Amino acid sequence: VSDDETETVAATTPHNTTQVHRPYPAHLFVNKQLIADADEHGKVFDFVVAGHPKCGSTTMIANLGYVAPVPPEDVCTPVHNSVWYAYINWPDVNETRPLRGLKCPAFIDGEWLLEWSKHVPRTGIILGIRHPVLWFQSFYNMLNSALPVSDYTETCENSLPCKNSCPKNRLFCTHRARFHLALARLGKTPLGGAERSLLAPGDFDGGKEVKSRHIRNPVFLYEQTQLDDDQLWEDLAIFISYPGKIPHDRKHLSHGNTSRNRNYKKFDICKPLHDNFRKELMPYAWQMSRWICDYMVPLGKDVHIASGDRFCSN
């Protein structure tokens, strides 16, 4: 097979869309840039674990390593580089690991996914969520933070620079726990007036200020506590068109700095001392639950929900 040709092996799946391309599809690049809709005639890149951080993405990619020769660490590079790396630098696909993918939990924030939507819209986007209260506690402990929790309630409205909805370029804050806003920006739901009333309407960047990015890629949504559920992995196999069951016995935790500081006392957000702080996060938890179950699950275009028939039953 020459450099500008592609040998394609199609897997037998319910959707019959998995195509393993080898070798490197040079004909899809012009001046080292992917052409638009590069996967029009077959998948070029199968999946991206695009978020959210501290929502089980490390466990997710570890188990997807059974079906794709993916790097375990984050690969947060432009789509052109990511596809090139997958074909040139990473181990080649084979019969037991026929897919290509990567993990970058930062993709859900910012403009990253716009390029994936433009160039490889058939790549599946895998997204995890978590209860905002437990998410904040996990992030705080991972970073071994010494700041008072009240510092993390600042917003980007009057405090710059801003990163991931957090001021002063912080990695996390209460505003980053608004997972439903990041999901809404994908543009999978109508974003009508009633819907916007559940998208943090009291925040300077919520409600009517939430703008659709019109992401064309299909989305798979799961909740962090579902990672032990066999049904999640069965649904995910269908989503990424893997012809078989995905083993899922690998569990990975991100301990961050706590393992290097024996004097660090883990932050317990459930203590009465933090009652008022939890009140800052609980409205986001309620809004997210209602928005996902009232809008994203029933109305989401190209949205696939892990254990869909049970996702909103509780």
Side-chain angles (χ1 to χ4, degrees):
V1 181
S2 64
D3 285 344
D4 60 352
E5 293 178 334
T6 308
E7 176 186 357
T8 300
V9 179
T12 303
T13 70
H15 296 298
N16 197 30
T17 55
T18 298
Q19 293 181 329
V20 179
H21 297 265
R22 47 177 79 139
Y24 165 62
H27 64 292
L28 299 180
F29 286 79
V30 175
N31 297 325
K32 298 182 179 180
Q33 303 287 299
L34 275 170
I35 62 174
D37 293 314
D39 55 4
E40 180 180 4
H41 300 294
K43 280 188 178 180
V44 173
F45 207 87
D46 296 289
F47 64 84
V48 171
V49 180
H52 290 82
K54 301 302 295 174
C55 292
S57 61
T58 303
T59 293
M60 175 62 72
I61 200 67
N63 288 293
L64 285 171
Y66 281 121
V67 302
V70 296
E73 66 274 3
D74 293 359
V75 180
C76 298
T77 53
V79 62
H80 317 283
N81 305 66
S82 298
V83 173
W84 190 90
Y85 294 149
Y87 282 85
I88 302 299
N89 286 357
W90 301 348
D92 198 8
V93 296
N94 53 52
E95 290 184 1
T96 58
R97 298 200 296 173
L99 307 183
R100 301 183 194 274
L102 61 76
K103 173 176 79 91
C104 179
F107 278 174
I108 187 61
D109 297 301
E111 308 295 326
W112 293 90
L113 292 180
L114 289 171
E115 289 296 295
W116 287 84
S117 176
K118 176 181 178 180
H119 297 284
V120 282
R122 296 179 67 177
T123 296
I125 305 299
I126 301 171
L127 297 170
I129 58 173
R130 190 177 188 178
H131 193 291
V133 171
L134 298 178
W135 173 85
F136 185 92
Q137 175 180 261
S138 180
F139 225 136
Y140 191 96
N141 284 323
M142 184 188 75
L143 295 181
N144 191 3
S145 181
L147 294 174
V149 293
S150 58
D151 280 20
Y152 291 99
T153 61
E154 286 186 81
T155 73
C156 291
E157 184 174 15
N158 298 307
S159 184
L160 297 174
C162 188
K163 180 180 181 180
N164 303 322
S165 298
C166 298
K168 303 175 183 176
N169 281 334
R170 286 182 176 150
L171 282 177
F172 77 111
C173 61
T174 55
H175 264 200
R176 198 177 185 186
R178 304 172 303 169
F179 305 133
H180 54 315
L181 268 67
L183 294 173
R185 292 187 186 106
L186 296 174
K188 300 297 185 180
T189 60
L191 288 179
E195 179 180 354
R196 290 179 181 277
S197 69
L198 294 172
L199 299 175
D203 293 350
F204 79 98
D205 55 350
K208 65 181 182 180
E209 299 301 324
V210 176
K211 309 299 183 186
S212 170
R213 290 177 176 143
H214 303 288
I215 301 301
R216 296 187 292 162
N217 304 70
V219 169
F220 182 87
L221 181 69
Y222 71 93
E223 201 275 329
Q224 188 253 355
T225 60
Q226 293 181 288
L227 288 170
D228 289 328
D229 185 355
D230 291 344
Q231 187 63 51
L232 176 148
W233 298 98
E234 292 176 16
D235 294 343
L236 182 59
I238 295 172
F239 176 72
I240 61 176
S241 300
Y242 177 69
K245 293 184 178 180
I246 302 174
H248 49 278
D249 57 348
R250 296 171 176 170
K251 297 182 180 180
H252 290 256
L253 301 174
S254 298
H255 297 289
N257 295 327
T258 58
S259 61
R260 298 194 294 270
N261 185 353
R262 296 180 180 179
N263 296 320
Y264 178 76
K265 293 183 178 180
K266 282 196 172 183
F267 168 61
D268 184 355
I269 201 170
C270 293
K271 287 184 176 180
L273 171 66
H274 304 303
D275 284 354
N276 288 333
F277 177 73
R278 289 198 308 278
K279 291 179 181 178
E280 297 273 346
L281 289 166
M282 287 304 295
Y284 296 145
W286 181 85
Q287 291 172 11
M288 178 171 65
S289 174
R290 290 274 44 87
W291 178 78
I292 288 175
C293 292
D294 292 351
Y295 292 95
M296 192 167 196
V297 170
L299 303 177
K301 181 180 180 182
D302 292 328
V303 173
H304 306 258
I305 308 294
S307 305
D309 57 336
R310 294 184 281 123
F311 193 87
C312 292
S313 61
N314 296 322

